[in-house]
Amino acid sequence: MTAKVGPWSETIPKDYARLMREFGIEEFGDLAEELPDPNHLMRRRIIFGHRDFQRVLGAMRSGEKFAVMTGLMPSGRMHLGHKLVVDQLVWYQRHGAEIFLCVADIEAHATRGLTLQDAERLAIEEYLVNFQALGLDLERCNLYFQSRSDAVRNLAYTLGRKVNLSELRAIYGFSGETSASHIFYPLIDVADILHPQLEEFGGPRPTVVPVGIDQDPHLRLARDVASRFKREFGFIPPSSTYHRLLRGLTGGKMSSSNPETAIFLTDPPEAVERKIRNAFTGGRPTAKEQRERGGDPDKCVVYELHVYHLTPDDRELLKLREACESGEIICGECKAKTVERLKVFLAEHKKRRKNAEAGVKKLIK
Ligand code: SF4
């Protein structure tokens, strides 16, 4: 495990470290230095783990084709926590990846009870317009809706030949009460991950799936299934990277269903002010004490917003860290600056959303 050397914590949190050991995930660590122009998420070890990423790195170095597969499930509003994956996609697209972007409308239908029409509307307004506004060129992506992809559905049935119910139960904990559509869903998910390697989509090639560690069961199943169908389709087991999730503003989990925990990409300025004012920090009980003893940025979710999103420049982040730790800046001042930065970002994002809207709608029709 790496010691803390920069303005961000490089120590992998205990619960992530345990899962890495349990499931054999490797540290992303020094791989970041081997990448061309690593972004702040890689440099700051927000992307902390991987499986077989060397395969993708090799393809990048030799100029061979490689793909990135990701999905979005339309449910609730898009917030800064979701931006993490989009930033990775933008980086990969810039470095020559073919991006496969799946709108998981069947998943939203099967697990959240949304109609496919509602899922489509939500996907466009809340997610795809934001993705484009954040810099992903959707026209250059292989964008598809699960419900409309015959290739994915057919592949899911084919892959199901070599997966049985006991195995799915062991991975997902399905009970006798679980609906049949929910039970079938993992095969759709595995088919999403593997279909870029079908001949009609470009054939077998290194593919990376950037995920939070909670998605690892899908990856393990996809890698096992890829090996079972190697002879038939030539599948290369997909690689994956694992990122830390941004904590919620109140210190717990960030969730669309609890609006005070997240900054949404369409939040008005008043909401931003209120949420940051109430955010959990690493400050001291009194301003005097904080001036004397400094704050603790590693505990602070406001600082985490800077690490993940608001301050991509490492030197600037280091200055903020030092100012916090020395007591030169205290939470009230720091929060006011953070609100200003967020307001500027969201105002610019609003304009970019406006510009993106017509193009995204045209792309879907
Ligand atoms: S000064 Fe800023 S970074 Fe430090 S604990 Fe307070 S809000 Fe967090």
Side-chain angles (χ1 to χ4, degrees):
M1 210 173 287
T2 336
K4 186 177 82 186
V5 294
W8 52 85
S9 172
E10 292 196 355
T11 307
I12 296 173
K14 275 198 197 109
D15 44 347
Y16 286 138
R18 180 179 56 77
L19 290 166
M20 285 173 77
R21 273 196 307 277
E22 211 169 295
F23 296 121
I25 293 168
E26 290 178 69
E27 265 193 51
F28 196 75
D30 298 339
L31 281 182
E33 270 110 64
E34 295 183 42
L35 285 166
D37 169 36
N39 69 11
H40 68 286
L41 302 171
M42 297 158 173
R43 292 194 309 273
R44 297 175 184 178
R45 309 295 191 256
I46 292 167
I47 298 168
F48 65 90
H50 76 99
R51 286 186 198 275
D52 266 355
F53 188 77
Q54 290 94 338
R55 216 194 291 271
V56 174
L57 186 59
M60 290 176 88
R61 279 196 182 129
S62 58
E64 283 165 42
K65 285 189 171 176
F66 71 103
V68 179
M69 175 70 220
T70 191
L72 63 94
M73 182 166 76
S75 74
R77 296 168 64 196
M78 186 166 164
H79 53 61
L80 279 182
H82 298 119
K83 178 175 175 287
L84 197 61
V85 170
V86 186
D87 288 344
Q88 294 180 63
L89 298 179
V90 170
W91 185 88
Y92 281 119
Q93 192 170 54
R94 200 166 354 109
H95 288 87
E98 294 168 76
I99 310 279
F100 286 76
L101 176 56
C102 160
V103 176
D105 57 346
I106 292 186
E107 185 177 5
H109 181 59
T111 64
R112 305 284 164 101
L114 252 66
T115 64
L116 291 177
Q117 288 80 358
D118 281 345
E120 175 177 326
R121 184 188 47 75
L122 207 56
I124 295 172
E125 290 172 9
E126 261 311 315
Y127 292 83
L128 296 174
V129 169
N130 281 323
F131 276 40
Q132 178 82 26
L134 289 170
L136 186 67
D137 183 352
L138 289 177
E139 267 192 65
R140 290 199 291 128
C141 293
N142 291 284
L143 168 68
Y144 67 98
F145 281 64
Q146 268 176 340
S147 63
R148 300 176 201 168
S149 173
D150 290 341
V152 168
R153 200 167 35 241
N154 294 345
L155 182 59
Y157 279 110
T158 302
L159 301 179
R161 284 192 345 244
K162 297 190 184 179
V163 179
N164 63 36
L165 182 57
S166 309
E167 188 178 9
L168 293 177
R169 266 205 180 125
I171 298 172
Y172 297 100
F174 294 146
S175 71
E177 305 302 310
T178 310
S179 72
S181 56
H182 202 156
I183 290 171
F184 186 67
Y185 183 73
L187 289 166
I188 296 272
D189 204 68
V190 170
D192 278 323
I193 293 173
L194 296 180
H195 90 280
Q197 298 194 57
L198 293 175
E199 286 306 328
E200 70 243 57
F201 292 96
R205 62 203 181 289
T207 306
V208 60
V209 191
V211 289
I213 205 156
D214 56 322
Q215 298 294 308
D216 192 49
H218 299 310
L219 262 304
R220 293 202 303 276
L221 182 62
R223 286 168 60 82
D224 282 351
V225 172
S227 309
R228 289 172 211 171
F229 283 87
K230 181 165 178 42
R231 199 164 336 138
E232 203 165 326
F233 295 110
F235 287 149
I236 297 170
S239 308
S240 47
T241 60
Y242 301 88
H243 46 258
R244 303 181 197 194
L245 301 178
L246 182 63
R247 278 183 300 158
L249 295 172
T250 46
K253 198 171 174 252
M254 182 174 288
S255 161
S256 301
S257 55
N258 186 355
E260 293 308 300
T261 64
I263 301 287
F264 296 106
L265 291 172
T266 46
D267 261 346
E270 326 67 86
V272 171
E273 255 172 56
R274 186 190 65 246
K275 290 178 186 184
I276 295 296
R277 193 170 55 239
N278 295 329
F280 179 80
T281 71
R284 304 283 176 188
T286 65
K288 182 172 177 291
E289 195 181 335
Q290 191 162 352
R291 289 263 183 238
E292 285 165 11
R293 298 178 60 202
D296 184 349
D298 290 332
K299 279 194 188 148
C300 176
V301 295
V302 176
Y303 186 73
E304 203 165 287
L305 283 179
H306 286 270
V307 175
Y308 278 62
H309 295 298
L310 298 178
T311 307
D313 183 281
D314 292 347
R315 274 169 307 186
E316 196 188 339
L317 186 67
L318 181 59
K319 272 191 196 159
L320 174 58
R321 184 183 191 92
E322 287 171 350
C324 169
E325 286 178 332
S326 67
E328 183 189 328
I329 189 168
I330 59 172
C331 294
E333 301 156 354
C334 185
K335 283 181 167 182
K337 285 187 180 172
T338 304
V339 167
E340 281 322 302
R341 193 163 284 205
L342 274 168
K343 280 186 187 169
V344 170
F345 166 74
L346 290 175
E348 282 169 6
H349 185 71
K350 195 173 173 182
K351 284 187 213 149
R352 288 194 293 263
R353 268 183 61 92
K354 195 102 205 95
N355 293 336
E357 269 168 14
V360 171
K361 283 186 184 150
K362 214 155 67 190
L363 211 61
I364 304 304
K365 294 302 160 202

